[in-house]
Amino acid sequence: MTALVIAEHDNASIKGATLNTVTAAAALGGDVHVLVAGHNAGAAAAAAAQIAGVAKVLHADSSALAESLAENVAAQVIALASGYSHLVFPATAAGKNVAPRVAALLDVAQVSDITKVVSADTFERPIYAGNAIATVQATDAVKVITVRTTGFDPAAAGGAAPVETIAAAADVGKSSFVGREVTKSDRPELTAAKIIVSGGRALGSSEKFNEVLTPLADKLGAALGASRAAVDAGYAPNDWQVGQTGKIVAPQLYIAAGISGAIQHLAGMKDSKVIVAINKDPEAPIFSVADYGLEADLFTAVPELVNAL
Amino acid sequence: MKVLVPVKRVVDYNVKVRVKSDGTGVDIANVKMSMNPFDEIAIEEAVRLKEKGVVTEIVAVSCGVAQAQDILRTAMAIGADRAILVETPADLDLQPLAVAKLLKALVDKEQPQLVILGKQAIDDDCNQTGQMLAALAGMPQGTFASKVEVAGDKVNVTREVDGGLETVSLSLPAVVTTDLRLNEPRYVTLPNIMKARKKPLETVKPEDLGVNVTPRIKTLKVSEPPKRGAGVKVPDVATLVNKLKTEAKVI
């Protein structure tokens, strides 16, 4: 029984989500191999080899794999699938894009967003925006799984796995990469941050959002997040959205400022270790999950908080 | 060109579901059901493409119990031209792979140039069906779309990915799944609801399509998520900072 982890990388380095995925794969009980499919991704493959618990790294190099197009990455995974009992992806935008395509091509079901490995075929996963936890058993011969990264600790460094170069699958030729617009940020990545400062509709404008929350985030070395309302209103970029349909986060400290706490938002942050809510509405549902609630106007409370730190 | 839009009937997004005490599932008896929010966005996008003259016919599809007819009527009130219900028994656990196979059979029959689905259903939170359909039908996929532009025999899809946006160009026919910011779905008007009643709705069974819908994943148990311990309200910022430093030790 061997699990293949499909690494998320940018050709130069391995993304953090891969480390949590390796931990989940190791919990399945067999060997763990890692696939690095990319273009000129030797550095990423070398980095993958250093993850503790990895027995082998498979490195496929082709210009067709450069931008991680689902059609081509899926073809690459299919070419390898026969040797594996489990195909394990991080439940990130990239993993969610490719994994179901692989599962369908193998005619097997996929288990999405697992938060716990019960046994090699049984997993826990949240459903209904995290309002229920389902324990499910996959009955297919090959298990295709995506891993909720906040459910597992990142694997440590210190491995020394061999890197094996493998043949790259041919370009499927049905899609091509056009371009990318990356949100520039020198803050910690939202899904990996230890502290997150998140703002909601109550901030009122993009200017206020930055003016009020940036100093607090700077002070704490925190990532900035946002509720859907704040993103839809244009106060914050899309990829800052925390919730059922945005990022799922579980930092040490989550500060929710001016966020009411709709079910869909709670689904993305309620596994945080400590939750602080700052809201002037005493009835806001966010107070029901907050460890510390401050009933105050955020426009005075947040600057006060910055001063007090 | 023809567009196929699969829609799902789910528990309304405002309802906080309750786990059944016997651990067999969540209690959805007597709970308000609606169209999955991402699917409304999918229908809206198809209607906008029709209004631009790119699309000539919109076929809405739903797989599930007989009551899913209601949401197909809603889809037709938004602007779908006709609808197909793949009716399955109420006691069947219909999973994404089975739905993808049913949709593949309909794609073979209807030959759409574009299939637009929601990125995920808010009940099972799977985020699989669109990708699976694309795989089975041998089509390229544009998932988590925030912009869709048909240009000749290609469709350019701007996707919401971790860290920003990315644009891919797909050969038609293709599968697109919608993200929240693709559009703002319109409200259905009473006259359109009346008109939707007269639009054709065809019902088929999985057997008619030659698809085996047996579940591949067994649900062993459904439980309540762990409850968070009760929190406290603090009177002022100084107390908050003090508690975070000394009690929670997170800063």
Side-chain angles (χ1 to χ4, degrees):
Chain A
M1 201 177 78
T2 307
L4 182 67
V5 169
I6 290 72
E8 185 165 350
H9 63 88
D10 57 6
N11 292 317
S13 61
I14 292 287
K15 298 223 170 140
T18 308
L19 303 177
N20 310 76
T21 309
V22 166
T23 302
L28 296 165
D31 274 354
V32 177
H33 293 180
V34 173
L35 168 67
V36 176
H39 188 44
N40 296 331
Q50 285 166 23
I51 303 170
V54 173
K56 187 156 84 172
V57 174
L58 306 176
H59 179 203
D61 189 300
S62 155
S63 57
L65 297 168
E67 304 297 346
S68 298
L69 291 168
E71 297 76 14
N72 294 344
V73 177
Q76 183 70 53
V77 177
I78 293 296
L80 297 168
S82 61
Y84 294 95
S85 59
H86 296 77
L87 302 170
V88 191
F89 298 73
T92 54
K96 289 175 181 175
N97 190 31
V98 179
R101 194 167 177 105
V102 168
L105 291 172
L106 294 172
D107 190 22
V108 302
Q110 183 202 301
V111 185
S112 293
D113 241 328
I114 64 161
T115 47
K116 190 174 168 190
V117 173
V118 178
S119 71
D121 67 354
T122 305
F123 313 97
E124 285 186 7
R125 60 177 303 264
I127 54 174
Y128 288 92
N131 285 306
I133 307 293
T135 306
V136 298
Q137 184 177 33
T139 59
D140 290 307
V142 179
K143 277 80 176 163
V144 177
I145 301 162
T146 66
V147 173
R148 178 169 291 194
T149 53
T150 58
F152 299 86
D153 293 331
V163 178
E164 186 181 306
T165 303
I166 56 163
D171 191 341
V172 175
K174 292 199 168 175
S175 60
S176 58
F177 178 78
V178 177
R180 185 170 286 138
E181 257 178 75
V182 179
T183 314
K184 292 245 180 341
S185 170
D186 37 16
R187 300 186 176 285
E189 204 185 327
L190 191 56
T191 50
K194 290 214 159 47
I195 302 180
I196 294 172
V197 174
S198 217
R201 201 199 322 249
L203 269 306
S205 71
S206 158
E207 292 73 29
K208 285 280 174 200
F209 194 98
N210 287 313
E211 184 186 313
V212 175
L213 297 187
T214 306
L216 181 58
D218 284 341
K219 202 93 188 180
L220 294 166
L224 280 168
S227 69
R228 180 183 167 188
V231 171
D232 282 350
Y235 306 167
N238 297 350
D239 56 327
W240 286 12
Q241 185 183 322
V242 171
Q244 182 185 20
T245 61
K247 302 273 166 63
I248 312 285
V249 300
Q252 294 288 306
L253 173 61
Y254 187 91
I255 301 179
I259 292 177
S260 64
I263 300 172
Q264 294 80 9
H265 185 74
L266 300 184
M269 46 64 82
K270 66 182 177 171
D271 292 326
S272 305
K273 184 159 170 271
V274 174
I275 297 172
V276 170
I278 302 173
N279 204 304
K280 63 181 176 188
D281 174 12
E283 304 298 325
I286 190 78
F287 285 122
S288 68
V289 300
D291 299 278
Y292 303 108
L294 179 61
E295 202 185 302
D297 183 349
L298 70 95
F299 291 107
T300 53
V302 174
E304 259 185 68
L305 185 54
V306 175
N307 287 332
L309 286 165
Chain B
M1 67 181 186
K2 191 195 275 189
V3 180
L4 197 71
V5 184
V7 293
K8 185 176 184 181
R9 176 177 179 266
V10 298
V11 170
D12 188 86
Y13 73 100
N14 280 314
V15 173
K16 189 168 187 301
V17 293
R18 240 175 264 172
V19 173
K20 286 191 210 163
S21 53
D22 63 359
T24 54
V26 298
D27 195 358
I28 57 166
N30 309 316
V31 165
K32 186 184 177 205
M33 306 293 280
S34 304
M35 189 189 296
N36 181 44
F38 291 99
D39 304 348
E40 281 184 54
I41 296 171
I43 283 280
E44 175 67 32
E45 194 64 18
V47 174
R48 289 186 190 192
L49 288 171
K50 192 176 176 193
E51 287 166 349
K52 276 190 215 158
V54 177
V55 164
T56 48
E57 189 186 25
I58 302 167
V59 185
V61 179
S62 194
C63 304
V65 294
Q67 294 92 316
Q69 281 190 18
D70 297 350
I71 64 153
L72 286 171
R73 292 288 171 204
T74 307
M76 290 191 283
I78 297 171
D81 297 292
R82 60 190 171 90
I84 304 170
L85 172 66
V86 183
E87 196 179 329
T88 56
D91 58 354
L92 175 78
D93 177 15
L94 189 63
Q95 297 177 346
L97 183 63
V99 174
K101 288 181 178 179
L102 293 170
L103 295 175
K104 157 73 167 68
L106 291 175
V107 163
D108 288 345
K109 201 168 131 201
E110 297 283 342
Q111 296 288 318
Q113 285 296 99
L114 200 55
V115 185
I116 311 180
L117 306 87
K119 81 163 173 181
Q120 79 190 56
I122 59 164
D123 51 0
D124 61 21
D125 283 334
C126 276
N127 195 330
Q128 300 175 3
T129 308
Q131 295 89 315
M132 287 182 157
L133 171 62
L136 297 174
M139 291 183 192
Q141 66 190 51
T143 52
F144 325 141
S146 60
K147 196 174 166 194
V148 176
E149 281 176 322
V150 177
D153 59 351
K154 301 222 188 269
V155 57
N156 285 330
V157 179
T158 301
R159 309 177 51 233
E160 291 195 16
V161 295
D162 301 333
L165 298 171
E166 124 183 344
T167 305
V168 291
S169 169
L170 313 174
S171 307
L172 294 173
V175 171
V176 170
T177 75
T178 63
D179 214 321
L180 283 172
R181 272 154 299 264
L182 181 58
N183 61 48
E184 187 83 37
R186 69 194 66 188
Y187 289 104
V188 292
T189 60
L190 188 59
N192 284 342
I193 292 172
M194 302 307 285
K195 273 185 222 155
R197 287 193 192 167
K198 298 202 179 77
K199 290 185 180 176
L201 193 161
E202 177 193 351
T203 301
V204 295
K205 295 269 160 77
E207 305 84 88
D208 306 335
L209 299 171
V211 175
N212 180 351
V213 291
T214 313
R216 306 284 193 88
I217 294 178
K218 272 192 234 166
T219 299
L220 304 180
K221 187 177 73 177
V222 175
S223 53
E224 292 263 3
K227 287 254 184 307
R228 290 188 75 93
V232 292
K233 283 222 177 155
V234 292
D236 51 36
V237 169
T239 318
L240 174 62
V241 171
N242 185 35
K243 293 226 181 235
L244 289 177
K245 279 187 176 154
T246 57
E247 200 174 271
K249 297 192 174 69
V250 285
I251 52 172

